[in-house]
mmCIF file of all heavy atoms in Angstrom:
data_model
loop_
_atom_site.group_PDB
_atom_site.id
_atom_site.type_symbol
_atom_site.label_atom_id
_atom_site.label_comp_id
_atom_site.label_asym_id
_atom_site.label_seq_id
_atom_site.Cartn_x
_atom_site.Cartn_y
_atom_site.Cartn_z
ATOM 1 N N LYS A 71 -0.571 -12.522 13.729
ATOM 2 C CA LYS A 71 0.858 -12.690 14.155
ATOM 3 C C LYS A 71 1.736 -11.545 13.751
ATOM 4 O O LYS A 71 2.785 -11.225 14.335
ATOM 5 C CB LYS A 71 1.407 -13.986 13.659
ATOM 6 C CG LYS A 71 1.450 -14.148 12.144
ATOM 7 C CD LYS A 71 1.956 -15.558 11.713
ATOM 8 C CE LYS A 71 1.916 -15.775 10.240
ATOM 9 N NZ LYS A 71 2.244 -17.129 9.832
ATOM 10 N N VAL A 72 1.335 -10.837 12.600
ATOM 11 C CA VAL A 72 2.004 -9.647 12.175
ATOM 12 C C VAL A 72 0.949 -8.740 11.634
ATOM 13 O O VAL A 72 -0.147 -9.168 11.241
ATOM 14 C CB VAL A 72 3.120 -9.962 11.095
ATOM 15 C CG1 VAL A 72 4.204 -10.756 11.635
ATOM 16 C CG2 VAL A 72 2.493 -10.498 9.802
ATOM 17 N N LEU A 73 1.291 -7.476 11.565
ATOM 18 C CA LEU A 73 0.470 -6.366 11.083
ATOM 19 C C LEU A 73 1.063 -5.634 9.876
ATOM 20 O O LEU A 73 2.236 -5.253 10.011
ATOM 21 C CB LEU A 73 0.174 -5.380 12.174
ATOM 22 C CG LEU A 73 -0.902 -4.350 12.003
ATOM 23 C CD1 LEU A 73 -2.262 -4.955 11.842
ATOM 24 C CD2 LEU A 73 -0.839 -3.364 13.140
ATOM 25 N N VAL A 74 0.328 -5.608 8.803
ATOM 26 C CA VAL A 74 0.829 -4.976 7.578
ATOM 27 C C VAL A 74 -0.047 -3.651 7.368
ATOM 28 O O VAL A 74 -1.266 -3.782 7.159
ATOM 29 C CB VAL A 74 0.798 -5.856 6.370
ATOM 30 C CG1 VAL A 74 1.329 -5.094 5.072
ATOM 31 C CG2 VAL A 74 1.542 -7.150 6.587
ATOM 32 N N VAL A 75 0.620 -2.474 7.403
ATOM 33 C CA VAL A 75 -0.111 -1.261 7.205
ATOM 34 C C VAL A 75 -0.095 -0.959 5.679
ATOM 35 O O VAL A 75 0.880 -0.408 5.198
ATOM 36 C CB VAL A 75 0.492 -0.071 7.981
ATOM 37 C CG1 VAL A 75 -0.262 1.186 7.853
ATOM 38 C CG2 VAL A 75 0.654 -0.506 9.457
ATOM 39 N N ALA A 76 -1.078 -1.401 4.977
ATOM 40 C CA ALA A 76 -1.070 -1.328 3.470
ATOM 41 C C ALA A 76 -1.639 0.024 3.039
ATOM 42 O O ALA A 76 -2.395 0.068 2.087
ATOM 43 C CB ALA A 76 -1.852 -2.542 2.981
ATOM 44 N N CYS A 77 -1.186 1.029 3.657
ATOM 45 C CA CYS A 77 -1.660 2.361 3.372
ATOM 46 C C CYS A 77 -0.480 3.304 3.490
ATOM 47 O O CYS A 77 0.172 3.332 4.561
ATOM 48 C CB CYS A 77 -2.735 2.802 4.351
ATOM 49 S SG CYS A 77 -3.268 4.553 4.300
ATOM 50 N N ASN A 78 -0.150 4.009 2.428
ATOM 51 C CA ASN A 78 0.974 4.856 2.466
ATOM 52 C C ASN A 78 0.876 6.002 3.423
ATOM 53 O O ASN A 78 1.859 6.360 4.131
ATOM 54 C CB ASN A 78 1.279 5.456 1.060
ATOM 55 C CG ASN A 78 1.934 4.432 0.169
ATOM 56 O OD1 ASN A 78 3.159 4.411 0.015
ATOM 57 N ND2 ASN A 78 1.212 3.585 -0.497
ATOM 58 N N THR A 79 -0.335 6.613 3.492
ATOM 59 C CA THR A 79 -0.528 7.710 4.465
ATOM 60 C C THR A 79 -0.344 7.253 5.898
ATOM 61 O O THR A 79 0.354 7.863 6.674
ATOM 62 C CB THR A 79 -1.926 8.314 4.239
ATOM 63 O OG1 THR A 79 -2.039 8.804 2.847
ATOM 64 C CG2 THR A 79 -2.136 9.512 5.138
ATOM 65 N N ALA A 80 -0.986 6.147 6.253
ATOM 66 C CA ALA A 80 -0.836 5.648 7.579
ATOM 67 C C ALA A 80 0.581 5.188 7.936
ATOM 68 O O ALA A 80 1.062 5.396 8.988
ATOM 69 C CB ALA A 80 -1.806 4.474 7.844
ATOM 70 N N SER A 81 1.153 4.604 6.932
ATOM 71 C CA SER A 81 2.588 4.245 7.101
ATOM 72 C C SER A 81 3.484 5.424 7.370
ATOM 73 O O SER A 81 4.457 5.428 8.151
ATOM 74 C CB SER A 81 3.149 3.489 5.855
ATOM 75 O OG SER A 81 2.522 2.184 5.717
ATOM 76 N N ALA A 82 3.154 6.515 6.667
ATOM 77 C CA ALA A 82 3.992 7.758 6.747
ATOM 78 C C ALA A 82 3.842 8.408 8.081
ATOM 79 O O ALA A 82 4.901 8.966 8.617
ATOM 80 C CB ALA A 82 3.571 8.702 5.675
ATOM 81 N N VAL A 83 2.684 8.370 8.699
ATOM 82 C CA VAL A 83 2.493 9.171 9.939
ATOM 83 C C VAL A 83 2.314 8.364 11.209
ATOM 84 O O VAL A 83 2.470 8.891 12.301
ATOM 85 C CB VAL A 83 1.296 10.101 9.766
ATOM 86 C CG1 VAL A 83 1.505 11.093 8.597
ATOM 87 C CG2 VAL A 83 -0.022 9.511 9.621
ATOM 88 N N ALA A 84 1.847 7.098 11.108
ATOM 89 C CA ALA A 84 1.399 6.362 12.273
ATOM 90 C C ALA A 84 2.300 5.147 12.558
ATOM 91 O O ALA A 84 2.072 4.570 13.686
ATOM 92 C CB ALA A 84 -0.024 5.872 12.044
ATOM 93 N N LEU A 85 3.209 4.765 11.836
ATOM 94 C CA LEU A 85 3.998 3.556 12.007
ATOM 95 C C LEU A 85 4.687 3.508 13.356
ATOM 96 O O LEU A 85 4.674 2.404 14.034
ATOM 97 C CB LEU A 85 4.954 3.294 10.820
ATOM 98 C CG LEU A 85 5.279 1.822 10.644
ATOM 99 C CD1 LEU A 85 4.184 1.017 10.247
ATOM 100 C CD2 LEU A 85 6.425 1.766 9.536
ATOM 101 N N PRO A 86 5.350 4.588 13.733
ATOM 102 C CA PRO A 86 6.109 4.502 15.059
ATOM 103 C C PRO A 86 5.159 4.272 16.206
ATOM 104 O O PRO A 86 5.447 3.551 17.130
ATOM 105 C CB PRO A 86 6.778 5.874 15.141
ATOM 106 C CG PRO A 86 6.864 6.355 13.755
ATOM 107 C CD PRO A 86 5.683 5.848 13.050
ATOM 108 N N VAL A 87 3.953 4.915 16.188
ATOM 109 C CA VAL A 87 2.977 4.643 17.244
ATOM 110 C C VAL A 87 2.511 3.215 17.282
ATOM 111 O O VAL A 87 2.400 2.560 18.392
ATOM 112 C CB VAL A 87 1.800 5.634 17.068
ATOM 113 C CG1 VAL A 87 0.724 5.332 18.152
ATOM 114 C CG2 VAL A 87 2.267 7.074 17.189
ATOM 115 N N LEU A 88 2.243 2.651 16.107
ATOM 116 C CA LEU A 88 1.777 1.246 16.064
ATOM 117 C C LEU A 88 2.854 0.301 16.485
ATOM 118 O O LEU A 88 2.571 -0.648 17.280
ATOM 119 C CB LEU A 88 1.329 0.905 14.617
ATOM 120 C CG LEU A 88 0.217 1.697 14.014
ATOM 121 C CD1 LEU A 88 -0.054 1.261 12.590
ATOM 122 C CD2 LEU A 88 -1.009 1.622 14.880
ATOM 123 N N GLU A 89 4.219 0.512 16.126
ATOM 124 C CA GLU A 89 5.212 -0.299 16.570
ATOM 125 C C GLU A 89 5.372 -0.275 18.038
ATOM 126 O O GLU A 89 5.763 -1.311 18.732
ATOM 127 C CB GLU A 89 6.498 0.167 15.918
ATOM 128 C CG GLU A 89 6.535 -0.130 14.374
ATOM 129 C CD GLU A 89 7.738 0.450 13.638
ATOM 130 O OE1 GLU A 89 8.223 1.482 14.216
ATOM 131 O OE2 GLU A 89 8.123 -0.047 12.690
#
Side-chain angles (χ1 to χ4, degrees):
K71 61 185 175 183
V72 298
L73 186 66
V74 181
V75 185
C77 171
N78 281 268
T79 302
S81 294
V83 302
L85 204 64
V87 173
L88 299 180
E89 290 173 333

